[in-house]
Amino acid sequence: MKKLLTAVITAGILAVTASSVWSLDEDSDYIVDNGGVESLRGHQQLADINKSEPMKRVPRDQQPIDREYIQQPPLIPHTIRGYQVNLNANKCLSCHSFKNAGAMGATKISVTHFETREGTTLSDVSPRRYFCLQCHVTQADAKPLVENNFKPVESLR
Ligand code: HEC
Ligand code: HEC
């Protein structure tokens, strides 16, 4: 009888603890919509304490921008607003592919863009070079976030 009583009481305590943990989780889910994870920021939505910056203006069309080192992916000297790159279409290649570059007056992608990581040259753009914006970025006239003393290599100065 004593054992049964202990078991019942233990079960009761467990149930109460479990339910309070449960309701705590529900509460925090209610406050932040991030699965209940609390970060150093505490229980606050990022958007409430840090308003996003306005979009920077990317110049429409410029001359190609000088490179700073030999293996640098050249910066994009034009806007790319609305240019889709996805499973079905690659807007960049409609101007920069070997086939279209001449007619569009754009720079051809270089031969490295056809190489797989094993060094085989394919007949079309290599999957690892398909998502152009992984490496190429537009520029805007913006204040640098941190100081930068980078100097181009001697041969490019
Ligand atoms: C409508 C045609 C067109 C489309 C679409 C286009 N570009 Fe361009 N791109 C150009 C032209 C034209 C130039 C400048 C060529 C020149 O003046 O020498 C250029 C220049 C560049 C350069 C600089 C090359 C260099 O040697 O400095 C890069 C990098 C580039 N584009 C990347 C992209 C990426 C990435 C996309 C897709 C997000 C894209 N472009 C979409 C026409 C296009
Ligand atoms: C993994 C990084 C990477 C990706 C992805 C990538 N590029 Fe490049 N791209 C480079 C690098 C690095 C260079 C300069 C060295 C070279 O030619 O390989 C370059 C060079 C270029 C050039 C100048 C070629 C020349 O002969 O001067 C153009 C144009 C270009 N890329 C367009 C594109 C386009 C369009 C795409 C998407 C289809 C693309 N790149 C995807 C890294 C990348």
Side-chain angles (χ1 to χ4, degrees), residues 62-65 67 74-78 80 83 85 91-92 94-96 104-107 132-133 136:
Q62 312 174 53
Q63 289 300 308
I65 302 164
R67 298 184 205 183
L75 298 163
I76 306 176
H78 53 72
I80 55 163
Y83 288 1
V85 176
K91 179 71 179 170
C92 313
S94 69
C95 291
H96 287 284
M104 301 308 293
T107 328
C132 319
L133 300 174
H136 299 281

Side-chain angles (χ1 to χ4, degrees), residues 8-26:
V8 169
I9 291 172
T10 314
I13 291 172
L14 281 178
V16 169
T17 320
S19 70
S20 61
V21 168
W22 235 270
S23 59
L24 222 178
D25 266 1
E26 268 168 20

Side-chain angles (χ1 to χ4, degrees), residues 10-79:
T10 314
I13 291 172
L14 281 178
V16 169
T17 320
S19 70
S20 61
V21 168
W22 235 270
S23 59
L24 222 178
D25 266 1
E26 268 168 20
D27 276 346
S28 50
D29 273 346
Y30 197 73
I31 299 166
V32 286
D33 187 22
N34 62 359
V37 178
E38 186 179 341
S39 70
L40 290 175
R41 208 185 321 124
H43 287 282
Q44 275 171 313
Q45 291 284 21
L46 189 54
D48 292 340
I49 53 171
N50 197 2
K51 295 278 171 243
S52 49
E53 289 274 311
M55 300 270 277
K56 299 268 185 307
R57 244 176 45 84
V58 173
R60 253 183 180 289
D61 271 314
Q62 312 174 53
Q63 289 300 308
I65 302 164
D66 286 345
R67 298 184 205 183
E68 304 284 322
Y69 58 98
I70 303 302
Q71 288 287 354
Q72 182 197 322
L75 298 163
I76 306 176
H78 53 72
T79 51

